[in-house]
Amino acid sequence: MKRAVYPGSFDPMTLGHVDLIERGARLFDELVICVGVNPSKSAFLSVTERVDLVTAVAAPYDNVRVCQHEGLIVDLVRSVDASAIFRGLRTAGDLEYETPMALTNRSLLGGTETVFLVADPRYSFISSRLIKEILRGGGDIRAFVPPAVAEHLESARSRLTAGGGGDADS
Ligand code: ADP
């Protein structure tokens, strides 16, 4: 059984994340999406909101499950008995950021490989940060996120315009 962990902030989930989930679900026997709890990052959406949205969007995939995790990713990799960490590459900047992470994780837990998929060009410009910028500016985010996420973000928009968190990620 080839199981991979797909970690991320998902603050909020975008169509780029969905594309990666779809492709990861085909590549691995099981994909465990891990919504990161990072006390040092100020997130826009709560962990519960992020987990609920990812769970709703990933529901059609039989071999995908969702969890939340605080701490080292390798601890989750070990506890769910995964052999890979799954990540997406949009830009050279992503690769620069990801390479030391992948090497560190392999060093911390021998045998842990990080598998990267190059972002689909239709979505490679989309980031959670971009969505928050559009929301903050009063724009329409529906072309960039799944419908369930768009609906939730509309109701949460006032939190951002009131100066809520969410600047600390990609
Ligand atoms: P993190 O804070 O861990 O980078 P993100 O939610 O921003 O969390 O991203 C999680 C993963 O999803 C990363 O590997 C990122 O490269 C990938 N990703 C994010 N947006 C896209 C996209 N538009 N296309 C492909 N992969 C993406």
Side-chain angles (χ1 to χ4, degrees), residues 6-10 16-17 20 41 87-88 90 94 98 119 123 126 170:
Y6 175 27
S9 306
F10 303 97
H17 292 122
L20 225 59
K41 266 190 180 181
R87 298 281 289 175
R90 289 161 293 184
D94 273 356
E98 296 289 344
Y123 309 119
I126 302 176
S170 51

XYZ file of all heavy atoms in Angstrom, residues 6-10 16-17 20 41 87-88 90 94 98 119 123 126 170, ligand 1:
172
model
N -0.214 14.638 2.256
C -0.193 15.917 1.536
C -0.415 17.043 2.555
O -1.548 17.344 2.925
C -1.273 15.918 0.451
C -1.434 17.230 -0.301
C -0.392 18.139 -0.445
C -2.655 17.562 -0.890
C -0.547 19.330 -1.137
C -2.822 18.749 -1.592
C -1.759 19.626 -1.704
O -1.923 20.816 -2.385
N 0.667 17.642 3.047
C 0.520 18.681 4.059
C 0.384 20.071 3.454
O 0.910 20.349 2.365
C 1.848 18.580 4.837
C 2.837 18.110 3.820
C 2.084 17.357 2.746
N -0.303 20.944 4.154
C -0.413 22.320 3.683
C -1.215 23.154 4.658
O -1.778 22.635 5.627
N -1.245 24.461 4.374
C -2.022 25.362 5.227
C -3.489 25.394 4.787
O -4.390 25.570 5.600
C -1.447 26.784 5.150
O -0.074 26.782 5.446
N -3.717 25.317 3.476
C -5.073 25.333 2.918
C -5.869 26.523 3.477
O -6.999 26.377 3.932
C -5.799 24.000 3.188
C -5.055 22.814 2.643
C -4.227 22.036 3.449
C -5.149 22.492 1.292
C -3.521 20.959 2.934
C -4.444 21.416 0.765
C -3.628 20.647 1.598
N -5.929 24.974 -7.269
C -4.600 24.366 -7.391
C -4.462 23.189 -6.441
O -3.956 22.123 -6.816
N -4.941 23.357 -5.209
C -4.931 22.241 -4.247
C -5.793 21.086 -4.775
O -5.412 19.925 -4.681
C -5.502 22.685 -2.894
C -4.656 23.664 -2.135
N -5.122 24.897 -1.744
C -3.384 23.599 -1.669
C -4.175 25.536 -1.063
N -3.105 24.775 -1.013
N -4.113 19.058 -7.369
C -3.074 18.195 -6.796
C -3.702 16.969 -6.102
O -3.187 15.850 -6.201
C -2.234 19.007 -5.805
C -0.725 18.810 -5.925
C -0.243 19.194 -7.305
C 0.012 19.625 -4.878
N 2.076 30.975 12.724
C 1.537 31.625 11.526
C 0.148 32.158 11.841
O -0.663 31.442 12.448
C 1.370 30.586 10.397
C 2.529 30.480 9.431
C 2.101 29.605 8.255
C 3.209 29.448 7.230
N 2.782 28.630 6.082
N 3.838 17.139 -2.515
C 3.800 18.603 -2.566
C 3.698 19.060 -4.023
O 4.003 18.316 -4.960
C 5.080 19.188 -1.950
C 5.284 18.859 -0.489
C 4.475 19.701 0.457
N 4.960 21.071 0.532
C 4.354 22.032 1.221
N 3.236 21.789 1.887
N 4.845 23.248 1.252
N 3.321 20.305 -4.210
C 3.201 20.866 -5.555
C 4.285 21.918 -5.796
O 4.736 22.576 -4.858
N 4.966 25.254 -8.046
C 4.427 26.257 -8.970
C 5.534 27.051 -9.633
O 5.466 27.386 -10.802
C 3.500 27.227 -8.219
C 2.188 26.624 -7.788
C 1.546 27.430 -6.685
N 2.332 27.356 -5.463
C 1.982 27.888 -4.319
N 0.869 28.581 -4.238
N 2.741 27.753 -3.258
N 9.147 27.963 -5.212
C 8.635 26.793 -4.483
C 9.739 25.749 -4.349
O 9.939 25.162 -3.289
C 7.452 26.154 -5.237
C 6.110 26.786 -4.883
O 6.072 27.666 -4.003
O 5.091 26.396 -5.500
N 11.200 24.171 -1.037
C 10.879 22.764 -0.773
C 12.107 21.867 -0.649
O 12.065 20.865 0.074
C 9.988 22.202 -1.903
C 8.616 22.848 -2.026
C 7.677 22.471 -0.888
O 7.957 21.500 -0.171
O 6.662 23.168 -0.719
N 2.800 22.062 -10.966
C 1.433 22.593 -11.014
C 0.909 22.638 -12.444
O 1.658 22.931 -13.387
C 1.402 23.995 -10.409
N -3.550 26.465 -13.211
C -3.706 26.875 -11.811
C -2.408 27.362 -11.171
O -2.406 27.726 -9.997
C -4.235 25.699 -10.976
C -5.449 25.037 -11.554
C -5.419 23.687 -11.929
C -6.622 25.752 -11.740
C -6.539 23.083 -12.468
C -7.741 25.148 -12.285
C -7.701 23.811 -12.652
O -8.802 23.215 -13.188
N -2.162 30.403 -8.992
C -3.106 30.556 -7.869
C -2.434 30.191 -6.550
O -1.787 29.159 -6.432
C -4.348 29.649 -8.062
C -5.049 29.985 -9.371
C -5.305 29.788 -6.885
C -6.239 29.072 -9.681
N 1.849 31.339 1.740
C 1.984 31.515 0.296
C 0.620 31.631 -0.333
O 0.213 30.963 -1.155
C 2.751 30.342 -0.287
O 2.185 29.114 0.138
P 2.115 25.611 2.797
O 1.974 26.746 3.763
O 2.519 24.317 3.454
O 2.942 25.909 1.575
P -0.196 25.727 1.025
O -1.612 25.408 1.378
O 0.121 27.096 0.553
O 0.624 25.316 2.323
O 0.320 24.704 -0.063
C 0.283 23.313 0.173
C 0.891 22.589 -1.011
O 0.054 22.772 -2.150
C 2.281 23.099 -1.416
O 3.058 21.996 -1.855
C 1.991 24.018 -2.567
O 3.083 24.101 -3.459
C 0.820 23.293 -3.214
N 0.012 24.250 -3.968
C -0.555 25.381 -3.518
N -1.177 26.023 -4.528
C -0.979 25.261 -5.632
C -1.354 25.392 -7.015
N -2.008 26.460 -7.459
N -0.989 24.412 -7.877
C -0.286 23.336 -7.421
N 0.115 23.161 -6.150
C -0.232 24.112 -5.267
